[in-house]
């Protein structure tokens, strides 16, 4: 059901996914207003949205997700919230206390504001990392929402996302001030790639430093299913439409959905090669060291980090949990999202790959110059 006439909020609106979602909403829906919340508003992004906003009003709120008064003002008169804002940390560089403050406490405060201000629908951007992989590296091939798996999450980031997702789903059916009920759902995208992805950009930079040879950190058989950012944004829109439909609302509310697309299952390292090989990058045939040796090195580095913590703070580029994540087959189907939300990927692998590679090509000269100047 279309979102015509609605007033909605997008948190993390200037982020990698948030910016794509705002643009999609402007292009495909006749919304009355979109309120953009971000801690760091990017004027160039806001200006670029002006050309596609039509009659919709764009309201900018620059501030912290932990500011409860700001959140109440943000949610006043709103019917729908997309909560994409999050601190992302895969190396352990950010203290758990800060991750909890932003990812968990921020979500709780936003949900409370929604209930106080009579927001009808809440969509949370979760992560594949709330599912695993676990510290044993147990694989999942083509899993779904009913797949049983003992996660045993070790990453502070993964733990914070899992807690925030639980808050979101537990808020399903909560009473609003006007007597209505809040409907919530959570989307669990796979590794998101596309134009603006800082992780792909980071791997390209490492490749430049290594003479245009990409470092291999994952075994070829450790296949995952990356998902293009444009398809993830579309899944959010489809979830919002489903929550507005009285018949689908009761089916979707309180549930989580895995979001993938038709990108071929591939290891993380081979995915980087797939989008960078047209630009002349090659890849190592095998990791520099066997997995078992890398695991021991990661363990020793974590011990050293803990010992030196009171005196010196440093973050190893690789830790055991990240090593396991990079080397565990972990793929999921989007069929439940297709069934309940009406989600179907809009961008196939060929187009998604081309868009990503074209973006990388556009920034490659600047990155080469910056790195070679050092």
């Amino acid at each position: 059901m279309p979102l015509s006439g609605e007033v909605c909020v997008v948190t993390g609106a200037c982020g990698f996914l948030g910016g794509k979602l705002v643009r999609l909403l402007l292009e495909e829906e006749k919304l009355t207003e979109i309120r953009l919340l971000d801690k760091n508003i990017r004027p160039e992004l806001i200006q670029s949205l002006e050309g596609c906003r039509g009659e919709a009003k764009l309201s900018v709120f620059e501030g912290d997700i932990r500011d409860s008064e700001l959140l109440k003002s943000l949610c006043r008169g709103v019917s729908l919230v997309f909560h994409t804002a999050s601190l992302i940390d895969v190396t352990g560089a950010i203290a758990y206390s800060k991750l909890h403050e932003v990812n968990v406490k921020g979500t709780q405060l936003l949900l409370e504001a929604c209930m106080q201000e009579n927001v009808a629908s809440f969509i949370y951007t979760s992560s594949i990392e709330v599912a695993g992989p676990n510290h044993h590296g147990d694989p999942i091939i083509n899993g779904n929402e009913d797949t049983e798996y003992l996660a045993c999450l070790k990453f502070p980031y993964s733990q914070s996302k899992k807690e925030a997702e639980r808050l979101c789903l537990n808020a399903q059916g909560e009473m609003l001030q006007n007597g209505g009920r809040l409907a919530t759902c959570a989307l669990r995208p796979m590794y998101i790639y596309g134009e603006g992805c800082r992780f792909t950009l980071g791997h390209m930079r490492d490749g430049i430093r290594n003479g245009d040879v990409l470092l291999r950190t994952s075994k070829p058989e450790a296949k995952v299913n990356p998902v293009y950012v444009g398809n993830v944004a579309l899944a959010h829109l489809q979830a919002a439409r489903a929550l507005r439909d009285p018949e689908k609302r009761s089916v979707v509310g309180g549930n989580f959905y895995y979001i993938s697309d038709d990108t071929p299952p591939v290891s993380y390292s081979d995915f980087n090669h797939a989008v960078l090989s047209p630009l002349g990058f090659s890849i190592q045939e095998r990791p520099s060291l066997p997995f078992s040796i890398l695991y021991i090195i990661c363990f020793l580095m974590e011990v050293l980090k803990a010992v030196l913590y009171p005196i010196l703070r440093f973050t190893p580029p690789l830790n055991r949990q990240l090593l396991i994540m990079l080397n565990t087959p972990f793929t999921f189907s989007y069929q439940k999202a297709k069934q309940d939300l009406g989600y179907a990927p809009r961008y196939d692998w060929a187009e998604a790959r081309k868009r990503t590679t074209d973006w990388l090509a556009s920034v490659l000269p600047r990155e080469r110059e910056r790195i070679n100047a050092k």
Side-chain angles (χ1 to χ4, degrees):
M1 180 175 289
L3 307 179
S4 302
E6 294 221 20
V7 177
C8 76
V9 163
V10 179
T11 71
C14 290
F16 174 43
L17 171 61
K20 301 291 192 302
L21 176 57
V22 172
R23 182 174 295 276
L24 180 65
L25 291 168
L26 290 171
E27 292 174 344
E28 303 221 351
E29 295 290 344
K30 295 181 179 179
L31 293 159
T32 298
E33 181 185 4
I34 303 180
R35 298 180 184 176
L36 285 59
L37 173 67
D38 205 289
K39 190 173 183 180
N40 298 298
I41 294 295
R42 291 192 288 134
E44 69 278 10
L45 173 64
I46 306 303
Q47 186 175 4
S48 73
L49 295 172
E50 286 295 326
C52 60
R53 72 180 182 89
E55 299 298 319
K57 178 182 178 182
L58 283 178
S59 301
V60 176
F61 290 72
E62 186 166 20
D64 199 302
I65 193 70
R66 296 167 290 183
D67 185 338
S68 58
E69 292 304 314
L70 172 65
L71 296 181
K72 290 176 187 177
S73 175
L74 177 74
C75 292
R76 194 161 297 131
V78 166
S79 52
L80 167 66
V81 166
F82 296 97
H83 183 27
T84 78
S86 179
L87 273 181
I88 301 175
D89 175 37
V90 297
T91 62
I94 304 175
Y96 178 73
S97 58
K98 187 171 183 180
L99 287 168
H100 188 275
E101 277 288 308
V102 174
N103 294 350
V104 182
K105 186 65 175 179
T107 300
Q108 180 182 351
L109 291 173
L110 184 58
L111 283 164
E112 291 172 357
C114 287
M115 287 181 269
Q116 292 167 4
E117 300 299 334
N118 302 310
V119 176
S121 302
F122 186 100
I123 297 167
Y124 177 65
T125 308
S126 188
S127 167
I128 182 58
E129 291 190 43
V130 307
N134 60 29
H135 62 279
H136 297 298
D138 295 326
I140 292 181
I141 308 297
N142 201 33
N144 58 45
E145 289 76 1
D146 295 322
T147 300
E148 294 186 4
Y149 188 78
L150 183 60
C152 303
L153 301 176
K154 296 292 186 181
F155 262 170
Y157 168 69
S158 305
Q159 293 170 3
S160 71
K161 292 295 285 186
K162 182 68 174 179
E163 290 181 64
E165 182 189 272
R166 187 181 299 115
L167 285 173
C168 168
L169 299 182
N170 286 346
Q172 166 66 21
E174 285 287 341
M175 181 75 73
L176 306 178
Q177 291 291 321
N178 63 4
R181 298 281 181 176
L182 177 65
T184 68
C185 74
L187 305 184
R188 294 181 180 179
M190 309 296 111
Y191 168 69
I192 306 175
Y193 70 92
E195 311 94 298
C197 177
R198 63 185 175 95
F199 295 108
T200 312
L201 182 60
H203 292 301
M204 183 177 77
R205 289 168 176 163
D206 290 339
I208 294 171
R209 296 185 186 98
N210 198 41
D212 289 358
V213 178
L214 299 174
L215 306 175
R216 179 176 288 282
T217 54
S218 55
K219 298 173 289 188
E221 61 269 25
K223 294 183 177 181
V224 295
N225 44 349
V227 56
Y228 179 61
V229 64
N231 290 327
V232 179
L234 179 63
H236 282 71
L237 175 55
Q238 291 298 104
R241 289 170 173 169
L243 287 179
R244 198 182 191 197
D245 186 323
E247 293 183 5
K248 293 183 178 180
R249 187 176 176 87
S250 59
V251 174
V252 174
N255 287 317
F256 70 86
Y257 295 89
Y258 289 113
I259 305 300
S260 56
D261 58 19
D262 299 322
T263 301
V266 63
S267 76
Y268 286 103
S269 292
D270 289 306
F271 170 80
N272 294 328
H273 185 226
V275 295
L276 283 164
S277 59
L279 304 182
F281 287 82
S282 61
I283 188 172
Q284 295 173 328
E285 287 189 18
R286 59 182 62 86
S288 302
L289 294 170
F291 177 88
S292 57
I293 300 299
L294 283 172
Y295 189 89
I296 293 171
I297 292 173
C298 287
F299 170 72
L300 294 174
M301 293 295 288
E302 290 171 41
V303 171
L304 182 63
K305 177 183 177 180
V307 170
L308 295 179
Y309 180 77
I311 306 167
L312 176 66
R313 298 186 181 185
F314 77 101
T315 302
L318 190 64
N319 55 51
R320 285 176 295 168
Q321 185 62 32
L322 180 56
L323 181 66
I324 290 170
M325 185 179 77
L326 294 173
N327 287 279
T328 300
F330 216 63
T331 62
F332 288 84
S333 166
Y334 63 81
Q335 290 307 304
K336 186 177 180 183
K338 180 178 180 180
Q339 173 185 306
D340 291 0
L341 308 180
Y343 164 70
R346 175 173 294 176
Y347 302 93
D348 63 17
W349 165 233
E351 183 173 1
R353 177 182 178 178
K354 183 179 185 306
R355 284 169 172 254
T356 305
T357 299
D358 287 350
W359 166 69
L360 289 166
S362 72
V363 300
L364 179 57
R366 181 194 68 201
E367 294 300 326
R368 283 197 189 282
E369 182 178 357
R370 185 181 64 84
I371 290 170
N372 292 334
K374 291 184 177 179

